[in-house]
């Protein structure tokens, strides 16, 4: 689980660092980032589905339960969408989702929002002079 979260963090950082290139080459980069977000969505939603009923599982004492990790992904996808749109979310952190179906849907929805934001990024936040 730690490896997956590390890979997710690296991917999010890569997206943030590659945004200047996305502005220079919008169509290709946007499509690539959107595809990557779709792949992550499939993987994390699938993992949440097969772990349904085991959301309290953690790989060791020093680790957070899997439900906490899935909720963190939902929250951080929302934060990334806010950063990309220029309107960071300043609201209070929502209560953790514990229902397996709702958590899977929240994961899916967070990636759909991220894909939409990535697809629309240069055309809605940057104006050519």
């Amino acid at each position: 689980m730690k490896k997956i979260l590390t890979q997710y963090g690296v991917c999010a950082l890569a997206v943030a660092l590659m945004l200047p290139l996305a502005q220079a080459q919008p169509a290709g980069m946007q499509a690539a980032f959107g595809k990557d977000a779709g792949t992550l969505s499939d993987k994390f939603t699938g993992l949440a589905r097969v772990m349904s009923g085991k959301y309290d599982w953690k790989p060791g004492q020093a680790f957070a339960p899997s439900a906490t990790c899935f909720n963190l992904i939902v929250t951080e996808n929302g934060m990334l969408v806010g950063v990309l749109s220029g309107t960071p979310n300043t609201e209070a952190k929502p209560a953790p989702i514990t229902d397996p179906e709702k958590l899977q849907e929240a994961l899916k929805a967070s990636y759909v929002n991220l894909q939409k934001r990535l697809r629309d990024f240069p055309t809605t936040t940057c104006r050519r002079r």
Side-chain angles (χ1 to χ4, degrees):
M1 182 64 69
K2 185 176 179 182
K3 182 178 179 182
I4 291 172
L5 289 177
T6 301
Q7 290 173 340
Y8 175 75
V10 169
C11 181
L13 179 62
V15 168
L17 293 174
M18 298 298 287
L19 289 177
L21 288 176
Q23 292 173 355
Q25 304 169 348
M29 295 301 280
Q30 287 172 280
F33 288 145
K35 183 178 178 188
D36 287 345
T39 300
L40 288 171
S41 175
D42 293 343
K43 288 181 179 185
F44 283 118
T45 304
L47 184 60
R49 185 180 62 252
V50 298
M51 290 192 71
S52 183
K54 301 174 190 159
Y55 283 177
D56 60 342
W57 177 84
K58 53 186 181 177
Q61 293 250 334
F63 297 94
S66 59
T68 302
C69 298
F70 293 135
N71 276 289
L72 179 65
I73 292 168
V74 171
T75 301
E76 291 195 359
N77 279 349
M79 289 171 49
L80 184 54
V81 167
V83 168
L84 291 173
S85 66
T87 57
N89 186 358
T90 56
E91 297 175 14
K93 186 177 175 183
I97 302 167
T98 56
D99 179 75
E101 288 182 23
K102 289 181 181 177
L103 186 52
Q104 292 166 35
E105 186 56 40
L107 275 167
K108 222 179 262 187
S110 73
Y111 278 107
V112 166
N113 290 338
L114 180 57
Q115 284 179 299
K116 182 182 183 318
R117 188 67 213 136
L118 287 168
R119 184 179 59 243
D120 297 342
F121 179 70
T123 58
T124 59
T125 59
C126 298
R127 294 189 178 135
R128 296 185 187 251
R129 296 176 191 242

